[in-house]
Amino acid sequence: MSEGSPESSGPDLAQGIALEGLAAGIPVLGHVGDQAVLLVRRDADVLAVAATCTHYGGPLADGIVVGDTIRCPWHHACFSLRTGAVLRAPALDGLTRWRVEQRDGMAFVHEPLPAEPQPALKGAGLPGSVVIIGGGAAGNAAAECLRREGYAGSVALLSADEAPPCDRPNLSKDYLAGTAQEDWIPLRSPEFYAKHGIDLRLGTRVAAIEPGQRAVRLSDGSRLPYEALLLATGAESIRLAVPGADLPHARVLRTLADSRALIAGAAAAKRCVVIGASFIGLEVAASLRARGLAVHVVAPEARPMERVMGPAIGDMVRAIHEQHGVVFHLGATATAIDEASVTLSTGERIAADLVVVGIGVRPSTALAEQAGLAMDRGVLVDEFLQTSVPGIFAAGDIACWPDRRTGSPIRVEHWVVAERQGQVAARNMLGRRERFDAVPFFWSQHYDTTISYVGHAEQWDRIEIDGDPAARDCTASFWHGGKKLAVATAGRDRASLEAELAFERETAA
Ligand SMILES: Cc1cc2nc3c(=O)[nH]c(=O)nc-3n(C[C@H](O)[C@H](O)[C@H](O)COP(=O)(O)OP(=O)(O)OC[C@H]3O[C@@H](n4cnc5c(N)ncnc54)[C@H](O)[C@@H]3O)c2cc1C
Ligand code: FES
C-alpha cells in the first residue's frame, strides 16, 4: 500500500474543516484528492501528514498523538507531525506533510510540502570512517541513520549474507505463506545504498576485529580500517542435536535463503512437523497451513509460548492454531528424524516430509569474544550502547544493555529493538551521548491475530487479564514485586501504545 492511498473516508480537507471541530491532539482522517491525510491540532497550529504508515501501511488515525508526534498502532513507528520525519523504527521513511492554511475559523489543506533537506554534519569529533558488521535490522538502520543525520564520512556495511538487508520478520509470515511479493522483502534497493554512499558489501564475512589497529580483518584476508565500529552480527538458529537433524528436509529459518528453501520444500511436501512452539515455529506453522500442508507442532512445554506470554495467551495461541488445523504434541521432544517421519520422546512417530526446527537462536558473539569485549549473555554495552572497548558499539540481538526500568542488563531478540538500537548507536558514534531507553516492543502474527508485547518480563508473580482471550480481545499485564513489567495485547493496538507510553513516562519520572 502506498503512503497516501485513499482508504480515506472523512472530509475533503481541501474544502476546509471547522477549527472548532478539531480537538487538540485527536487526529482527524480526511482526504485531499485521492490522498488520505491526517489532520492534528497542536496548540495554535494545525498539522497535516499522510495518513498511512510507511512501514506496512498501518492506519495512523488509529494511533496516538504524543506531543508533536504520532505513533502507529500496528508496530509502534513514530513520526514527527511537524516535519513528517520518521523518529522511531520500524518505519524507515518519513511521511509526506501537507501545507495547511487557517482562515475564517477553518483549516484548509493544500499541496504536499517537500521534505526538509538534511544539512551535512560538520565539526570536530566525528569519526572519519564507520564500519558496520552485520547487514540485518540493526546494521541497516545504523547505516541509514548516519546518512540521515548528515554524516558525510565513509560508511561500510558488511554482511556475511549474500542477500541484501531484508525484512526478516516477514520471512516466517506473509512471504512464507505466499501472500507477500518478493520485492517487499529487501529493506532497500541497491540504488538506495548507492545514492546514499553506503558501501554495502554482501557475502563479506568479518573474520576478526583488531581493536589495537582499529581495523577488521575479512575472511579473504584483507583488512578494513575504522574509526568507529558497530557490531550487529545478530543471531543464528540453534540446531537440533538428534539423529537425522542434518537431513536435507530438516530446516531452520533465519535468512532469506532459508525461507526460499522452505518454500521450495513446502511445494513438494504434504506433511510438516514443526519442532518448537516458539514465535517463529508457530508463525511457520500458520504459513504452511496457508500453503495447504498438514502441520504438527512438537514442543516440551504444556502450552505454546507460555514461558513468555503466560497460560491465558498460551491457550489462546493454541486454540487459534487448532482452529486452523494444526495438531499439537506438547510435553514431548523430537528424538530422531528420518526421511519420512519424526520420532518423539513419547515413542510416537509422526509422518513428515518436511521438518522445521524452531528451538531458538544463539547470539553471534564469536567476533566480540575474540576481540576481548566484555560479555554477559551477549555483548555487554552501556546505556549508550558502547562496548567495553571505546569506539566499538553493539546493537541488536547480540547486545546486552542496562534496562532503565528494571535496572538489570537485558538482551532481547526483537526487530524493532534492533533497529532502534542501530539508530541510537549510529548517533552515539557521531558523539551524541544518547541513552538507549526505548521500551522493548515486539509483535507476532498468527493468521489474522497479532499479539503485541511491550516491556520485558523474564519472570512474574501475577498476570492480570482484561478482556477475553477466547475472543482475541485482551490485555495481559505481567507483574513482579508490585511492578508492572510488561503488557501483551491481542486485538487492542491502542492499549499496547498506551502501555508503551506509560512505561516511558514511568522511566522518565
Ligand atoms: C523468521 C523470523 C521472524 C521474526 N519475526 C519477528 C517479529 O515478528 N517481531 C520481532 O520483533 N522480531 C522478529 N524476529 C527477530 C528479528 O528479526 C531479530 O531480532 C532482528 O533481525 C535482529 O537484528 P540484528 O540486526 O541484531 O540481527 P540480524 O537481523 O540477524 O542481522 C545480523 C547480520 O549480521 C551478519 N553477520 C553475522 N556475522 C557476521 C560476520 N562475521 N561478518 C559479517 N556479517 C555477519 C548476518 O549475515 C546478518 O546480515 C524474527 C526473526 C526471524 C528469523
Ligand atoms: S505499519 Fe506502522 S509500524 Fe508497522
Side-chain angles (χ1 to χ4, degrees), residues 98-145:
W98 294 70
R99 185 168 72 83
V100 181
E101 179 195 12
Q102 292 186 39
R103 175 168 35 94
D104 305 328
M106 303 278 285
F108 298 86
V109 180
H110 296 295
E111 71 283 352
L113 293 166
E116 284 177 359
Q118 176 62 53
L121 198 61
K122 293 199 181 89
L126 294 175
S129 61
V130 175
V131 170
I132 299 168
I133 310 177
N140 183 78
E144 290 199 19
C145 182

Side-chain angles (χ1 to χ4, degrees), residues 178-212:
T179 50
Q181 294 158 224
E182 184 79 25
D183 63 359
W184 293 0
I185 299 307
L187 292 176
R188 297 296 193 184
S189 65
E191 294 74 33
F192 175 90
Y193 297 105
K195 179 178 165 201
H196 291 87
I198 297 169
D199 178 13
L200 172 62
R201 302 193 198 176
L202 300 177
T204 302
R205 181 167 287 278
V206 174
I209 303 168
E210 297 169 350

Side-chain angles (χ1 to χ4, degrees), residues 125-421:
L126 294 175
S129 61
V130 175
V131 170
I132 299 168
I133 310 177
N140 183 78
E144 290 199 19
C145 182
L146 288 167
R147 290 299 183 232
R148 218 175 17 246
E149 293 291 330
Y151 175 65
S154 81
V155 176
L157 179 54
L158 313 178
S159 182
D161 203 332
E162 297 289 343
C166 74
D167 185 359
R168 204 175 299 288
N170 215 322
L171 300 181
S172 53
K173 303 182 181 68
D174 293 340
Y175 183 70
L176 184 59
T179 50
Q181 294 158 224
E182 184 79 25
D183 63 359
W184 293 0
I185 299 307
L187 292 176
R188 297 296 193 184
S189 65
E191 294 74 33
F192 175 90
Y193 297 105
K195 179 178 165 201
H196 291 87
I198 297 169
D199 178 13
L200 172 62
R201 302 193 198 176
L202 300 177
T204 302
R205 181 167 287 278
V206 174
I209 303 168
E210 297 169 350
Q213 282 71 46
R214 290 209 164 212
V216 297
R217 188 158 40 78
L218 308 185
S219 54
D220 66 3
S222 62
R223 294 169 85 237
L224 188 65
Y226 64 79
E227 289 193 14
L229 179 69
L230 175 64
L231 253 181
T233 45
E236 293 144 38
S237 305
I238 296 175
R239 308 272 163 171
L240 200 61
V242 303
D246 52 357
L247 285 168
H249 71 303
R251 307 198 162 276
V252 294
L253 175 54
R254 182 73 193 180
T255 63
L256 177 57
D258 292 338
S259 193
R260 285 188 177 137
L262 253 184
I263 291 167
K270 290 197 166 50
R271 295 173 64 94
C272 176
V273 168
V274 175
I275 300 174
S278 61
F279 297 102
I280 291 177
L282 290 177
E283 289 182 354
V284 167
S287 296
L288 295 183
R289 285 299 298 138
R291 286 183 180 270
L293 273 74
V295 178
H296 290 243
V297 174
V298 177
E301 52 266 42
R303 293 183 178 88
M305 294 190 184
E306 183 174 8
R307 193 181 54 79
V308 179
M309 294 283 183
I313 303 271
D315 284 341
M316 178 188 88
V317 168
R318 177 178 180 161
I320 293 171
H321 282 271
E322 285 179 338
Q323 281 159 14
H324 285 83
V326 172
V327 180
F328 284 91
H329 304 261
L330 299 169
T333 54
T335 55
I337 301 170
D338 63 30
E339 279 76 7
S341 68
V342 175
T343 306
L344 308 191
S345 49
T346 54
E348 191 180 356
R349 277 174 82 135
I350 313 169
D353 41 16
L354 182 64
V355 177
V356 182
V357 177
I359 56 170
V361 298
R362 185 176 297 120
S364 305
T365 53
L367 284 179
E369 286 168 39
Q370 161 272 326
L373 306 184
M375 309 292 292
D376 177 6
R377 288 171 293 153
V379 182
L380 198 63
V381 292
D382 64 12
E383 57 202 322
F384 307 109
L385 305 178
Q386 183 161 261
T387 68
S388 55
V389 173
I392 304 184
F393 293 76
D397 283 4
I398 58 167
C400 188
W401 82 97
D403 177 35
R404 281 193 84 188
R405 291 194 58 247
T406 57
S408 311
I410 61 170
R411 190 183 69 75
V412 302
E413 293 150 5
H414 306 340
W415 180 255
V416 170
V417 172
E419 289 190 318
R420 291 180 182 175
Q421 287 190 341

